[in-house]
Amino acid sequence: MTATPTEAPTPADTLNALEAALDQSHDVKAKVEACAEDLASTNDLVKVRIAEGQTTLPATQALQDSTAVELKVKECADDLQRVTDNLAQGVDEVKEVKQALSESRDALAESEAALAAAREAEQAASRRAMKDQMTGLPNRTLFDDRLAQAIAGAERHGWTLAVMFLDLDRFKIINDTHGHAAGDSVLKAVAQRLLSDAREEDTVCRNGGDEFLYLLINPTGRENVARIAGLVHTAIAHPIGLGALQIEITPSIGIAIYPDHGASGDMLVAHADAAMYRAKQLRTACEFFEAPVSPSASAVS
């Protein structure tokens, strides 16, 4: 026959046991006081009889009184033992409850620490997933997210936006001549120069390879966008020192303006890309997007 496991006492059970033990202690106290009163009454009776000249008490009466008091004292002793046992059990249960609470607190602290570590790891992984590992710039995923938010803000507030698409000219020659490590160093240097000139509200990202995207929030006018693009071109064109090497590289920059050149992020990036290729063909520092003229429109004009 399988024994039924004993369940651990709950705090409520322990409290009930202690309250019962206290109630029993009150009963024992009352019985002890009653024994004391009986003894006092017997003592008074003896004194009275002695005062009356009786030097002895009937044996039967003495035995009865003695036996009655003895039984009460024994009963009190038994009750007191039960109270002591119950209190001891209650104290042990309180200790068990305290121990269980302490272990629960320790387990909770460990769980919270593990949860915090897991959240930190998740946040770190999320940050890594949104960053270009080589340059530390936001990647295209994060750029698209910020561009979508910027478009939503521009619609509400009537702002303009500008997307600049940058491609480094003749970057392949650097890789072929000086090696990919030198090419990586050039990309990192260009990223730092872009970041150093960017405003806090703007976003610079590495689009992949030697391409970069630059989002300008509410740049206040085409002329100002052209001025910023010129500053970016000049900053990147400064020679990049790699040990004894001084590497010079320039970017071709294409620009698309919201809402004139597109109402969505994908359209703005595509049009800025097209403008960048136009800048390469014309060998200019930067070009704004121009919609191609349809044959029918040319014929009309």
Side-chain angles (χ1 to χ4, degrees):
M1 181 176 180
T2 304
T4 303
T6 303
E7 295 183 357
T10 65
D13 293 336
T14 301
L15 181 60
N16 291 336
L18 289 175
E19 288 178 349
L22 289 174
D23 290 340
Q24 289 178 347
S25 70
H26 291 314
D27 293 340
V28 171
K29 178 184 177 184
K31 290 181 179 180
V32 170
E33 290 175 350
C35 288
E37 291 178 358
D38 289 344
L39 289 173
S41 298
T42 301
N43 187 41
D44 290 341
L45 179 59
V46 169
K47 290 180 180 179
V48 169
R49 291 187 176 181
I50 290 173
E52 291 177 350
Q54 300 181 28
T55 56
T56 60
L57 292 175
T60 303
Q61 182 65 41
L63 287 174
Q64 289 177 350
D65 293 343
S66 174
T67 300
V69 172
E70 180 182 356
L71 289 174
K72 289 184 178 180
V73 169
K74 186 177 182 303
E75 184 180 348
C76 288
D78 292 341
D79 290 343
L80 185 60
Q81 184 61 48
R82 283 195 296 272
V83 171
T84 302
D85 293 341
N86 289 338
L87 287 175
Q89 181 182 355
V91 169
D92 290 341
E93 291 177 356
V94 167
K95 290 180 179 178
E96 291 178 6
V97 171
K98 286 184 177 179
Q99 179 64 27
L101 288 175
S102 178
E103 292 174 357
S104 297
R105 291 191 188 99
D106 292 342
L108 179 60
E110 291 178 2
S111 298
E112 290 176 344
L115 181 59
R119 285 175 177 168
E120 184 176 351
E122 181 181 2
Q123 291 171 357
S126 178
R127 289 192 295 269
R128 287 194 299 271
M130 294 293 185
K131 294 286 186 180
D132 174 63
Q133 297 304 304
M134 179 188 296
T135 62
L137 293 177
N139 60 18
R140 179 63 186 272
T141 301
L142 181 54
F143 181 86
D144 287 344
D145 181 66
R146 291 184 178 176
L147 178 55
Q149 293 180 24
I151 290 174
E155 288 178 347
R156 288 195 302 271
H157 303 291
W159 295 340
T160 59
L161 305 172
V163 173
M164 297 194 295
F165 198 116
L166 294 81
D167 181 88
L168 302 181
D169 301 328
R170 297 178 295 278
F171 179 74
K172 185 176 183 299
I173 296 175
I174 296 175
N175 279 333
D176 293 343
T177 304
H178 304 292
H180 288 281
D184 292 346
S185 296
V186 168
L187 291 175
K188 292 176 184 178
V190 169
Q192 290 305 311
R193 291 178 182 184
L194 290 172
L195 279 178
S196 63
D197 291 335
R199 300 175 302 172
E200 183 177 353
E201 62 267 32
D202 298 336
T203 299
V204 178
C205 102
R206 183 185 177 205
N207 191 45
D210 60 338
E211 296 177 347
F212 296 86
L213 287 167
Y214 199 133
L215 170 63
L216 294 170
I217 305 294
N218 199 24
T220 64
R222 185 183 178 110
E223 295 77 10
N224 190 44
V225 174
R227 181 186 67 82
I228 294 173
L231 293 174
V232 169
H233 187 279
T234 300
I236 294 175
H238 283 303
I240 298 171
L242 299 178
L245 293 176
Q246 292 290 316
I247 297 179
E248 295 184 3
I249 193 164
T250 56
S252 294
I253 304 175
I255 305 169
I257 303 293
Y258 171 87
D260 299 341
H261 301 151
S264 69
D266 289 342
M267 188 176 294
L268 289 171
V269 172
H271 287 171
D273 187 12
M276 180 272 295
Y277 277 106
R278 186 162 174 265
K280 278 189 180 295
Q281 292 170 353
L282 298 176
R283 298 183 182 277
T284 55
C286 65
E287 291 291 330
F288 286 87
F289 172 74
E290 291 184 3
V293 179
S294 64
S296 58
S298 300
V300 171
S301 62

